Amino acid sequence: MGQIVGGVAPLIYFARRNDSLLRLTGKVRMYGKVLLKTCGNGSSEMVTNLSTSLVNILYNFQLMRLAGEDGVAAFGVIMYVNFIFTAVFMGYSIGSAPVVSYHYGAGNHGELRNLYKKSLFLLTVGGILLTVAAEVFSRPLVEIFVSYDRALTDMTVEGFRLFSLAFLFMGINVWGSAFFTALNNGLVSAAISFLRTLVFQIISVLVLPALMGITGVWIAVLAAEGAALVVTAGFLWTGRKKYRYGK
């Protein structure tokens, strides 16, 4: 229903006379190739959504084996608290993407370079600040959900403090995928998302707990985001001349 509201309301607005510079006029026709290309360019978001369920099943399986029901409950709480912080990265990435697309399409390479540099700076600083905030406020945030059980609270706080170290890398990875989507390179965007949210996380959550126990579960995201950062940095470096956002 939310998607319907977001799609139908603007359609009605732009189909009638309005105060903006945009208006739908004349007959509308289907552009199949453009639609398919659009779907392909947005494949990274599809990969992220599809992989989430599978990865969460693996996390729950490992936690059930290592810590029982409390481990699964702790992971659920960590995911809830995690949304508070990752929403910042998602919001910036989604909000800046249209600006990137506009300057790229208009050939404003100077503005594109400026946005690229500022984004890297903001996301690096933001990642550090969010990590510090997560470490400092981990207990009060966790206690919102599980203050009724001291042992569960302590386990969740310990897990979240390790989990939140991933915020140091996560912002650039999330933005990197959205950045290439905005540059109309769905293949690179999908590759970043596929490796970050599926391949690296599956490897981490299967291998690290075997070596480190439950601690390996909590740092699996950190390991996956660290590996994804290397991939993202490589794509950003190799694409700087093609898209003229760097020297």
Side-chain angles (χ1 to χ4, degrees), residues 55-165:
V55 170
N56 283 345
I57 289 172
L58 290 176
Y59 272 97
N60 287 332
F61 175 79
Q62 292 286 54
L63 286 165
M64 195 69 183
R65 182 176 63 86
L66 295 169
E69 294 178 357
D70 281 355
V72 175
F75 180 70
V77 172
I78 289 173
M79 288 295 98
Y80 282 126
V81 178
N82 170 61
F83 291 148
I84 301 173
F85 296 89
T86 57
V88 177
F89 299 134
M90 291 297 298
Y92 181 83
S93 300
I94 294 173
S96 64
V99 184
V100 172
S101 292
Y102 173 79
H103 288 306
Y104 173 64
N108 299 332
H109 302 296
E111 291 293 335
L112 189 60
R113 284 193 295 270
N114 184 45
L115 182 61
Y116 170 75
K117 293 178 181 178
K118 287 184 177 179
S119 294
L120 288 180
F121 174 77
L122 289 172
L123 290 165
T124 300
V125 174
I128 295 172
L129 293 177
L130 288 178
T131 302
V132 172
E135 297 292 334
V136 172
F137 297 107
S138 58
R139 183 165 292 275
L141 288 172
V142 167
E143 286 180 344
I144 295 175
F145 300 93
V146 291
S147 59
Y148 57 87
D149 189 322
R150 181 61 181 273
L152 179 56
T153 299
D154 292 340
M155 177 193 293
T156 308
V157 169
E158 179 183 358
F160 182 65
R161 284 175 175 168
L162 293 172
F163 183 98
S164 62
L165 295 175

Side-chain angles (χ1 to χ4, degrees), residues 171-191:
I172 293 178
N173 291 331
V174 172
W175 172 80
S177 179
F179 183 70
F180 281 104
T181 296
L183 294 175
N184 199 30
N185 192 331
L187 183 61
V188 170
S189 178

